[in-house]
C-alpha cells in the first residue's frame, strides 16, 4: 500500500495543460535569442579555459571581441580562425586575448564548411560530458547508492580547503549529498572566477577548479565509505549555463537550476534568465545531473500557509521547462518546503498535506524537500525539534532528497558540529519511522486531503491566470514569492541578443544527439556489505 | 547585586556547554575537554558526551560550574532611548512636532539580497500585526529593495529630499556588513551630506551601540517592529527641528 491522497484529477489536468501553454509561450522567446553567457558556454565546451593578465576569463574576452556579430553566434567566426590558423580553441582564445588574432564575420560561401567542422569539435566537447556521466555510473555500480531520502547537507566556509574537510566529515557522519554554497553575490558577476579560492562570504566561489577539487575529495571519502557521495552546486545567476557546463564536465551530481529563481531573488533580467536556463538544463540533462528547483524560497517572502499553492504552480512550470530541455523525470528535483509558521495549530498536519501533494503530483520526479528556515528561532534547542518534525514529514511522505535543517539556521552557516547533529537527527527519525507510511492511510475528506485539494485547485487557477497574461507579465505582477519584476529591468539585460537568421551554435543539436538515459544503478550500502561478506 | 547562572539552586553557577576540538577521540579525549573547561575557570566539570564526529574532531557536551558573577547594575550600554508611541500618536506627533511629512528611503545595500527584514519595517503589511511605515499618512516611504549600491541609495535620498535613510544588513559572514555599512557613511561624508539625514541600520546581528560606532544614528536588532522605528524617526526629526 502507498500512502496516498484522493486528488481531483481534472484539477491536475488543468494545471498541467496551463503550464504547458505557459512554457510554449516563453519558448518562442528562447528560440529567438542568445545571451553573452550562452556564447561563453559554447566556448567553454570547445575547451577554452583560463583568464588573461587582469583575471578576465578568456571566454569573456573572446565574446567581447565578437560582440558586433554576436547575433550570428560566436562559434562560426571562432572556429573559422581555428581552421585558418590550425590552432586549438585554447590557443586561438589566447591569441585573441593578446591581440595577435582577431575575429571576423564568416563569408556566406565558407559557412557550410566552418559549420560542419564546428559540429565535429562540438561533439568532442559533449563527449567529455558523457565520459563524466559514464564514470558516475561505474562508481555508483561498484560502490553503492544510498537509500532515500538522501541526506543532503551544505558546506559554506568560503574556503575550499575547509569545505572539503567538512564535506568529508559530513559524509562520514552519514550525509549522501554535499552542496557547496556559493559566496554572496556571485550570481551578479557576469563572469566565472578562476582557480582554487579561499575567500568567500557565506559561501565559496563556484569555479571549475573548486568543483574538481571537491569532486576528488568526495570520491576519496566515497571510496573509504563504500558509498557514492553526491556533489551539488548552483547553476544560477548571470553565468547560469557556464556554471552548468562546468558542473557537467566535473561530474557534479546535482545542480540548483531553476527557471525563475534568478529573476525573483537576484533581480536578474527575465529575458536573460529564460534563455540561459534552457542551455543550462540541456547540459545537465546530458550529464545525468539532477536539477533542483527553488520553490522553497517563495515561502520566505510570501506566507507559506496562504501561498503554499504557488509552490505547486511553479513546480508545474519548472517541470515543463525541464522537459523541453530534455531532462528526464528522475532528473527533476522539484522544490518544496516545510515553512509554515510553527506556532500555527496543526502546522505539521498541513505540512504533511503539502509534502504529500507534491510527491503525488510528480511521482516519477525526485523532489527536493527543504527545511524550515524563516521561522527557525535563535533557541537552537527548539529549532532542533522543529527540524525533527521536518525529518518526520520527509520520511513519512516519501521524499527523495531531504535538505537537512540546521539548529543554528537563524545564526550562521553551519558549523562542523551543527551538521553532525543535524545528520544524527535525520538518521534517527528516518530509521525509526521508515515503515510508518506503509501502516497508515490518509483519512478521506480529512484535514490533509482537504488542504491538498485546496492547494491544487488554487494552483490550477493561478496557472490559468498566468497562461492568460503570460509569464513575463505574471512575474511583473508578483505572482510568485510576492516579488514583482520589471520585464525590461534587472541585471544582464544588455547581454540578451536577438538571433540573426544565420545564428549558429552547434551545441543545441550536439547535446541532444545520442543522449544516454536513466539514473545510475548500484546496490544499496546494505546489499554491498552483504555481498562482500558472502564473497569472503 | 551580583548574580551567577542558575541551574537548580541560587548561585550554583551551572552552565551548559558544547563545542568541538580538532583532536581524535582517544581514551584521553574526555580529560582534554574537561581540563580545557577547567582552564577557562570552570569547576565540577561533568563531560556528558564525547563523540568522534570525524577521525580528527571530537564533539563535547558538558555541564560545569563557574564562580564568575556579574552585577547587572554595572552594565552600561548605548541603548536606544525612545518613548514607544502607537501608530496614531506617531502620526499626530509628526504633524504637530515635525511639521512636515517624514520622507524615508530604505534598502538592503550592496551585496545583500535579503528583503524580508526591510519589508517588515516599510511595507504596508508590516510585521507581527504592526503596520509598516508605508501605511503611515505622515510618512512617505520609498523601499528600493535589495542589492542597492550605496551610490544609488544616496542619489534617491537626495532626489526625494529624504529625512531618513534606512539600511538593512542581514549577511554578516566575515564582517561583510561592516564593509558595506562603512562604505555608505564614507560616501555620505565625502559628499558632505552626512548631517542632512537621520541614518539607521537594522538586521539580526545589529544593535544600537554597534550602529553608533559605525557612525549611524541608531541600530535595530532582531524582532524590531515598525512602531519602534517610526517612534525613533519622529522623535529624532523633532529633536533636530527644534534643537
Ligand atoms: C529568507 C532567507 C534568504 C532568502 C531571502 C529572500 C528575500 N528576498 O529576502 C534567500 C534564499 C534569497 C537567501 C539568500 C542568501 N542567504 Co539567507 N536567509 C534567509 C533566512 C532563512 C530568513 C531571513 C528572514 O527573512 N528573516 C525574517 C525577517 C523578518 O527577519 P530579519 O531579517 O532579522 O529582520 C528583522 C530585524 O532584523 C530588523 N531589520 C532587518 N533589516 C532592517 C532594516 C531596518 C532599517 C530596521 C530598522 C530594522 C531591520 O527588523 C526585521 C523585523 O523584525 C535566514 C535565516 C534566518 N532564519 O534568519 C537566512 C540567512 C540570513 N541567509 C544567510 C546566507 C548566508 C544567505 C546567502 C549568502 C547564501 C548564499 N551563499 O547564497 C544568500 C545571500 C544572497 C545575498 N546576495 O544576500 C545566512 C546569513 C549568515 C550570516 N550571519 O551572515 C542566514 C542566517 C542563514 C544561515 N544560517 O546560513 N536567504
Amino acid at each position: 500500500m502507498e500512502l496516498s491522497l484522493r486528488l481531483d484529477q481534472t484539477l491536475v489536468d488543468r494545471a498541467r495543460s496551463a503550464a504547458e501553454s505557459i512554457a510554449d509561450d516563453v519558448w518562442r522567446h528562447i528560440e529567438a535569442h542568445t545571451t553573452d553567457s550562452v556564447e561563453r558556454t559554447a566556448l567553454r565546451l570547445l575547451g577554452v579555459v583560463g583568464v588573461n593578465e587582469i583575471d578576465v576569463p578568456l571566454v569573456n574576452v573572446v565574446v567581447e571581441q565578437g560582440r558586433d556579430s554576436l547575433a550570428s553566434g560566436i562559434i562560426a567566426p571562432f572556429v573559422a580562425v581555428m581552421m585558418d590558423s590550425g590552432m586549438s580553441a585554447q590557443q586561438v582564445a589566447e591569441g585573441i586575448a593578446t591581440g595577435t588574432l582577431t575575429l571576423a564575420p564568416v563569408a556566406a560561401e565558407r559557412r557550410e564548411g566552418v559549420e560542419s567542422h564546428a559540429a565535429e569539435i562540438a561533439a568532442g566537447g559533449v563527449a567529455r560530458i558523457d565520459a563524466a556521466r559514464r564514470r558516475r555510473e561505474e562508481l555508483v555500480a561498484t560502490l553503492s547508492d544510498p537509500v532515500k531520502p538522501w541526506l543532503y547537507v551544505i558546506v559554506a566556509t568560503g574556503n575550499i580547503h575547509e569545505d572539503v574537510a567538512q564535506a568529508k566529515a559530513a559524509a562520514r557522519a552519514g550525509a549522501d549529498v554535499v552542496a557547496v554554497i556559493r559566496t554572496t553575490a556571485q550570481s551578479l558577476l557576469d563572469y566565472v572566477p578562476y582557480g582554487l579560492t579561499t575567500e568567500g562570504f557565506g559561501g565559496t566561489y563556484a569555479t571549475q577548479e573548486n568543483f574538481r577539487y571537491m569532486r576528488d575529495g568526495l570520491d576519496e571519502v566515497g571510496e573509504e565509505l563504500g558509498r557514492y557521495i553526491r556533489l551539488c552546486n548552483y547553476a544560477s545567476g548571470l553565468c547560469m549555463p557556464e556554471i552548468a557546463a562546468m558542473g557537467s564536465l566535473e561530474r557534479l551530481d546535482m545542480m540548483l537550476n531553476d527557471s525563475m529563481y534568478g529573476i525573483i531573488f537576484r533581480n536578474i533580467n527575465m529575458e536573460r534568465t529564460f534563455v540561459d536556463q534552457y542551455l543550462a538544463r540541456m547540459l545537465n540533462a546530458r550529464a545525468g545531473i539532477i536539477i533542483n528547483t527553488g520553490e522553497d524560497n517563495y515561502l520566505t517572502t510570501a506566507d507559506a500557509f496562504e501561498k503554499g499553492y504557488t509552490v505547486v504552480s511553479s513546480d508545474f512550470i519548472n517541470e515543463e521547462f525541464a522537459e523541453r530541455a530534455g531532462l528526464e523525470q528522475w532528473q527533476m528535483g522539484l522544490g518544496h518546503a516545510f515553512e509554515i509558521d510553527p506556532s500555527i495549530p496543526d502546522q505539521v498536519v498541513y505540512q504533511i498535506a503539502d509534502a504529500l501533494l507534491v510527491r503525488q503530483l510528480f511521482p516519477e520526479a525526485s523532489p527536493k524537500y527543504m527545511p524550515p528556515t524563516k521561522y527557525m528561532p535563535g533557541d537552537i534547542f527548539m529549532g532542533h525539534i522543529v527540524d525533527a518534525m521536518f525529518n518526520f514529514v520527509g520520511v513519512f511522505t516519501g521524499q527523495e532528497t531531504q535538505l537537512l535543517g540546521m539548529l543554528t539556521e537563524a545564526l550562521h552557516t553551519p558549523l562542523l558540529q551543527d551538521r553532525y547533529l543535524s545528520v544524527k537527527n535525520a538518521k534517527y527519525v528516518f530509521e525509526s519511522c521508515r515503515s510508518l507510511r506503509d501502516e497508515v492511510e490518509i483519512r478521506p475528506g480529512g484535514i490533509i486531503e482537504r488542504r491538498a485539494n485546496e492547494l491544487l485547485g488554487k494552483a490550477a487557477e493561478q496557472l490559468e491566470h498566468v497562461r492568460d497574461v503570460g509569464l513575463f507579465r505574471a512575474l511583473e505582477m508578483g505572482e510568485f514569492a510576492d516579488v514583482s519584476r520589471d520585464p525590461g529591468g534587472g541585471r544582464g539585460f544588455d547581454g540578451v541578443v536577438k538571433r540573426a537568421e544565420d545564428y549558429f551554435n552547434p551545441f543545441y543539436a550536439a547535446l541532444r544527439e545520442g543522449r544516454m538515459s536513466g539514473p545510475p544503478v548500484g546496490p544499496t550500502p546494505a546489499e554491498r556489505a552483504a555481498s562482500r561478506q558472502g564473497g569472503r | 547585586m551580583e548574580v551567577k547562572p542558575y541551574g537548580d539552586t541560587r548561585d550554583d553557577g551551572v552552565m551548559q556547554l558544547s563545542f568541538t576540538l580538532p583532536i581524535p577521540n582517544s581514551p584521553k579525549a574526555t580529560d582534554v575537554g574537561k581540563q580545557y573547561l577547567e582552564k577557562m575557570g570552570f569547576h565540577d566539570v561533568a563531560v556528558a558526551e564525547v563523540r568522534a564526529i570525524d577521525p580528527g574532531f571530537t564533539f563535547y557536551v558538558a555541564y560545569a560550574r563557574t564562580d564568575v558573577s556579574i552585577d547587572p547594575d554595572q552594565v552600561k550600554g548605548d541603548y536606544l532611548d525612545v518613548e514607544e508611541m502607537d501608530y496614531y500618536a506617531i502620526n499626530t506627533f509628526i504633524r504637530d512636532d515635525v511639521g512636515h511629512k517624514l520622507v524615508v528611503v530604505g534598502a538592503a545595500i550592496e551585496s545583500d539580497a535579503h528583503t524580508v527584514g526591510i519589508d517588515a519595517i516599510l511595507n504596508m503589511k508590516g510585521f507581527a500585526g504592526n503596520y509598516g511605515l508605508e501605511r503611515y499618512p505622515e510618512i512617505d516611504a520609498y523601499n528600493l529593495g535589495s542589492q542597492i549600491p550605496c551610490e544609488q541609495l544616496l542619489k534617491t535620498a537626495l532626489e526625494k529630499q529624504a529625512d531618513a535613510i534606512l539600511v538593512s544588513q542581514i549577511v554578516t559572514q566575515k564582517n561583510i556588513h561592516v564593509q558595506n555599512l562603512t562604505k555608505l557613511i564614507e560616501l555620505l561624508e565625502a559628499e558632505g551630506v552626512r548631517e542632512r539625514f537621520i541614518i539607521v541600520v537594522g538586521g539580526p546581528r545589529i544593535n544600537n551601540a554597534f550602529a553608533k560606532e559605525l557612525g549611524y544614528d541608531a541600530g535595530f536588532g532582531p524582532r524590531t517592529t515598525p512602531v519602534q522605528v517610526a517612534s525613533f524617526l519622529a522623535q529624532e526629526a523633532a529633536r533636530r527641528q527644534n534643537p
Side-chain angles (χ1 to χ4, degrees), chain B residues 34 73 105 165 188 211:
Chain B
K34 181 164 181 272
D73 294 335
V105 174
I165 297 177
L188 289 161

Side-chain angles (χ1 to χ4, degrees), chain A residues 181-185 201-203 261 265-266 297 300-301 339 373-376 408-414 483, chain B residues 111-118 120-121 127 147 166-173 200-205 220-225 229:
Chain A
I181 304 298
R182 295 192 319 184
T183 180
T184 307
F201 300 97
Y261 178 84
F265 292 97
R266 293 295 187 284
N297 297 290
T300 60
T301 49
E339 285 281 18
T373 63
K374 180 170 165 181
Y375 290 103
M376 285 296 275
T408 52
E409 171 63 36
L411 307 177
H412 46 232
T413 50
V483 172
Chain B
S111 52
D112 210 311
H114 294 85
T115 54
V116 183
I118 187 83
I121 304 301
F127 181 66
Q147 299 176 164
L166 270 54
V167 181
S168 181
Q169 283 289 274
I170 309 298
V171 180
T172 57
Q173 221 94 359
V200 311
V201 52
R205 301 273 92 76
F220 293 85
R223 288 178 301 283
T224 301
T225 55
V229 182

Side-chain angles (χ1 to χ4, degrees), chain A residues 195-243:
Chain A
L196 289 175
T197 70
T198 54
E199 289 168 17
F201 300 97
T204 307
Y205 283 99
T207 71
Q208 193 158 350
E209 296 64 30
N210 285 349
F211 284 6
R212 194 176 308 141
Y213 190 62
M214 181 56 91
R215 177 73 276 170
D216 289 346
L218 292 185
D219 283 349
E220 234 174 80
V221 74
E223 190 73 39
E224 170 192 324
L225 300 168
R227 184 158 50 92
Y228 185 67
I229 307 296
R230 287 181 165 78
L231 173 59
C232 178
N233 209 297
Y234 293 64
S236 60
L238 288 169
C239 297
M240 186 171 187
E242 292 176 84
I243 296 178

Side-chain angles (χ1 to χ4, degrees), chain A residues 37-52 56-65 74-75 77-79 81-82 87-98 101 103 121-122 124-126 128 192-195 207-209 212 241-243 245-246 249-250 507:
Chain A
S37 187
V38 163
E39 298 305 315
R40 297 195 298 252
T41 305
L43 292 168
R44 284 182 187 272
L45 291 169
L46 288 189
V48 178
V49 295
V51 289
N52 71 6
V56 180
L58 293 182
V59 293
N60 288 60
V61 175
V62 174
V63 165
E64 265 340 296
Q65 261 264 337
I74 197 77
I75 293 299
F78 187 83
V79 170
V81 179
M82 287 173 70
M87 292 184 191
S88 71
Q90 182 65 18
Q91 289 168 328
V92 169
E94 283 165 5
I96 289 172
T98 53
L101 294 172
L103 293 170
I121 333 180
V126 173
R128 286 160 60 212
V192 183
Y194 181 74
T207 71
Q208 193 158 350
E209 296 64 30
R212 194 176 308 141
E242 292 176 84
I243 296 178
M246 288 157 33
L249 290 166
E250 302 301 337
F507 288 101

Side-chain angles (χ1 to χ4, degrees), chain A residues 156-158 165 168-169 172 184-185 188 198 200-202 265-267 300-301 374 381 410-413 416-417 420-421 424 482 491, chain B residues 16 18-20 49 51-55 57 59 110-113 115-116 125 146-149 171-176 179 204-205:
Chain A
T157 68
K168 287 182 167 178
R172 291 190 187 108
T184 307
L188 304 184
T198 54
F201 300 97
F265 292 97
R266 293 295 187 284
N267 196 15
T300 60
T301 49
K374 180 170 165 181
F381 304 100
L411 307 177
H412 46 232
T413 50
L416 184 70
Q417 66 193 37
Y420 162 77
L421 290 168
K424 203 165 164 178
D482 289 354
R491 303 184 192 231
Chain B
Q16 189 178 38
S18 87
F19 56 95
T20 301
E49 170 98 337
R51 281 278 171 175
I53 62 175
D54 203 47
F57 293 96
F59 173 63
E110 297 292 323
S111 52
D112 210 311
T115 54
V116 183
K125 187 165 75 177
S146 61
Q147 299 176 164
I148 303 299
V171 180
T172 57
Q173 221 94 359
K174 307 238 165 97
N175 279 331
I176 190 168
Q179 274 177 40
R205 301 273 92 76

